[in-house]
Amino acid sequence: MTKPATSPYLSLRQAVRPAIFAHQLLAGEAERAGKLAAECEELLLLTRELLKATGQARILGPEPGALGGLGGLGGLGGLGGLGGLGGLGGAAGEHGADRRARLVDAYADAGLAWAKVVGSSMALGRALIEAGDTEDARRLAGFLAGAGEESAAADLQAELGKAVWEAHQEQLKGISNEMPPEEIEKSIKALQAVLLEVPKDLNQEVNRLLVPLAASIHAIMRQRDIEIPYTSRVEHIAAGGVAKYPDIVTISLDEIAAEFEGLC
């Protein structure tokens, strides 16, 4: 049996998740059409609706500050759940009951409005990815995470990572231990782009590609009779010295890139 959430705030966030998913499906048609401008207009309109609904809930609230203001909209955190409804108990007769009902409706409107905002944001993110605008897609994922929607942000980041990996796949497939300098440079840039976006569980795959990349650089050093300094890590990486440490793959790639830059 699932333990009920102890916080009304968490209950409200859980309640709107199906609505988020439903709105993503509805927004899918426009997303597939690639209409970035239309997606942006939709998101702005939905955000305005959210602010109106949240403001209505605040106005109807039992006391100033009970809803936490409009500054904490992330994941509807600023709404504080339905716990503050008890403060309306002192209102008399039909007026009190009507005000209570209106406040409940305002909370519901705000919850659904937030669901639409998140769903529309996801659709916009996918359209950005399709358009190759990875930087803005990454920024949008960051906004979602900052708003408390970590799951939606992780989904968008995973889609972004997959798209970036596929975009550089041919270059990555061509990485070998006998590459000319121009191909080494392209491979380094491709790996740097991939590491910026892909989930950490793909670090092992990227780490595997560092071995032939470093081997190519080491081969050029020997061909040019370049004295390899004691501090060089290229030979160590080419021998598979960091194969078991995918957590330092970014550092290893930076070291390879720095040593290669010194050759050019």
Side-chain angles (χ1 to χ4, degrees), residues 234-246:
V234 169
E235 187 173 7
H236 177 66
I237 296 173
V242 298
K244 295 182 180 179
Y245 306 102

Side-chain angles (χ1 to χ4, degrees), residues 112-127:
L112 289 174
W114 176 246
K116 291 178 180 180
V117 166
V118 175
S120 183
S121 297
M122 292 292 290
L124 175 58
R126 293 192 182 101

Side-chain angles (χ1 to χ4, degrees), residues 25-223:
L25 295 180
L26 290 174
E29 290 303 319
E31 168 204 341
R32 279 188 288 273
K35 299 178 181 178
L36 292 178
E39 294 290 3
C40 290
E41 290 291 339
E42 176 73 2
L43 183 54
L44 289 172
L45 176 62
L46 294 173
T47 302
R48 184 173 184 275
E49 290 180 4
L50 171 63
L51 293 174
K52 286 173 62 179
T54 311
Q56 179 71 4
R58 178 173 172 78
I59 291 170
L60 292 171
E63 58 186 33
L67 300 178
L70 298 181
L73 285 176
L76 292 179
L79 296 181
L82 298 177
L85 286 176
L88 295 178
E94 293 182 3
H95 176 72
D98 178 65
R99 186 180 179 192
R100 184 189 296 265
R102 287 162 58 201
L103 180 56
V104 171
D105 287 343
Y107 273 115
D109 289 344
L112 289 174
W114 176 246
K116 291 178 180 180
V117 166
V118 175
S120 183
S121 297
M122 292 292 290
L124 175 58
R126 293 192 182 101
L128 288 168
I129 291 171
E130 286 185 3
D133 196 344
T134 57
E135 184 176 346
D136 281 341
R138 187 189 330 117
R139 186 179 296 114
L140 184 57
F143 290 159
L144 288 171
E149 296 296 338
E150 289 87 357
S151 178
D155 287 346
L156 184 57
Q157 189 65 51
E159 292 185 37
L160 177 57
K162 181 181 178 182
V164 171
W165 182 274
E166 290 176 352
H168 294 282
Q169 195 168 33
E170 288 305 312
Q171 183 66 43
L172 298 179
K173 283 181 179 179
I175 294 178
S176 71
N177 55 7
E178 296 180 346
M179 292 188 293
E182 57 271 19
E183 287 302 314
I184 292 175
E185 183 177 6
K186 291 178 183 179
S187 296
I188 289 175
K189 289 181 178 179
L191 287 171
Q192 288 172 332
V194 165
L195 278 178
L196 189 62
E197 310 295 355
V198 299
K200 289 184 178 180
D201 56 3
L202 286 178
N203 279 4
Q204 183 65 58
E205 182 65 19
V206 176
N207 204 40
R208 181 185 64 79
L209 295 173
L210 296 187
V211 175
L213 178 63
S216 285
I217 297 174
H218 188 250
I220 292 175
M221 287 177 166
R222 290 189 300 176
Q223 290 169 7

